[in-house]
């Protein structure tokens, strides 16, 4: 469906590679794009497994109206760098009112797992004695309190990104973008 939507939005125009200017005198090559900036097509790997960040995502969001992303995997804390990049991308696209179409093996609500494994959540916190060493040893499933706080923060970001994904992929959002 993504390839079909991309062809439809190209509307007979030949796709081309576009070089976007990014802050800090950098540039980003978008390999598959509409020449006028209507639509760009990416794989998850191109966007979230490379060392790019919010400035790159902001350049994409400001230039293109519609973003198509293929092959989004299920994300968890083992893939936290990818997850954080994806969340940052979603935030930039949302703030810049881009329409979005994605392909993934999971729904938006099931895309993110706030765990290191395929578990649904982190269990209760255990406190272990270690004060005499000056070490914070409060743990949950082997995680320190600081790690647990980071998990909770990421869990909130996952929920926000899921909600935004659903909204940006909706027909009403697309209608507003393509007016």
């Amino acid at each position: 469906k993504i390839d079909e939507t991309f062809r439809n939005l190209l509307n007979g125009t030949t796709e081309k590679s576009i070089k976007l200017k990014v802050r800090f005198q950098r540039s980003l090559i978008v390999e598959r794009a509409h020449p006028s900036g209507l639509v760009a097509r990416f794989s998850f790997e191109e966007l979230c497994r490379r060392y790019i960040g919010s400035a790159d995502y902001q350049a994409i969001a400001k230039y293109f109206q519609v973003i198509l992303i293929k092959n989004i995997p299920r994300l968890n804390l083992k893939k936290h760098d990818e997850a954080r990049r994806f969340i940052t991308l979603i935030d930039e696209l949302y703030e810049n009112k881009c329409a979005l179409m994605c392909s993934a093996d999971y729904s938006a609500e099931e895309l993110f797992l706030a765990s290191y494994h395929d578990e649904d959540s982190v269990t209760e916190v255990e406190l272990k004695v270690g004060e005499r060493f000056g070490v914070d040893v409060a743990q949950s499933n082997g995680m320190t309190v600081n790690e647990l706080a980071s998990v909770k923060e990421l869990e909130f970001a996952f929920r926000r990104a899921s909600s935004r994904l659903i909204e940006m992929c909706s027909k009403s959002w697309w209608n507003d973008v393509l007016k």
Side-chain angles (χ1 to χ4, degrees), residues 15-110:
E15 70 180 66
K16 70 179 246 182
S17 176
I18 294 178
K19 185 177 184 177
L20 297 179
K21 290 182 181 181
V22 180
R23 293 188 318 233
F24 313 115
Q25 298 178 345
R26 294 180 37 252
S27 61
L28 176 71
I29 304 294
V30 177
E31 296 295 336
R32 301 190 70 191
H34 189 281
S36 71
L38 173 63
V39 61
R41 182 183 171 275
F42 299 93
S43 68
F44 177 85
E45 187 169 319
E46 289 174 283
L47 291 171
C48 300
R49 290 195 174 132
R50 294 174 33 205
Y51 293 109
I52 62 177
S54 63
D56 303 279
Y57 300 142
Q58 191 174 67
I60 290 168
K62 288 186 181 295
Y63 193 85
F64 298 103
Q65 290 178 272
V66 178
I67 303 298
L68 309 175
I69 307 171
K70 287 185 84 166
N71 305 321
I72 300 170
R74 190 171 224 185
L75 300 166
N76 61 29
L77 296 176
K78 279 187 178 178
K79 301 174 186 174
H80 65 89
D81 287 339
E82 293 175 15
R84 287 186 190 277
R85 283 188 191 104
F86 187 64
I87 289 166
T88 301
L89 169 65
I90 295 306
D91 287 344
E92 288 295 340
L93 297 176
Y94 185 86
E95 295 300 323
N96 285 279
K97 307 287 188 249
C98 294
L100 181 64
M101 178 180 275
C102 304
S103 73
D105 290 335
Y106 296 91
S107 69
E109 297 91 347
E110 299 172 323

Side-chain angles (χ1 to χ4, degrees), residues 136-150:
D136 181 3
V137 292
Q139 295 192 351
S140 173
N141 292 342
M143 294 170 49
T144 67
V145 170
N146 288 339
E147 289 172 322
L148 188 59
S150 180

Side-chain angles (χ1 to χ4, degrees), residues 84 148-158 160:
R84 287 186 190 277
L148 188 59
S150 180
V151 168
K152 293 299 181 188
E153 175 187 323
L154 198 53
E155 194 173 30
F156 172 78
F158 283 171
R160 184 186 69 239

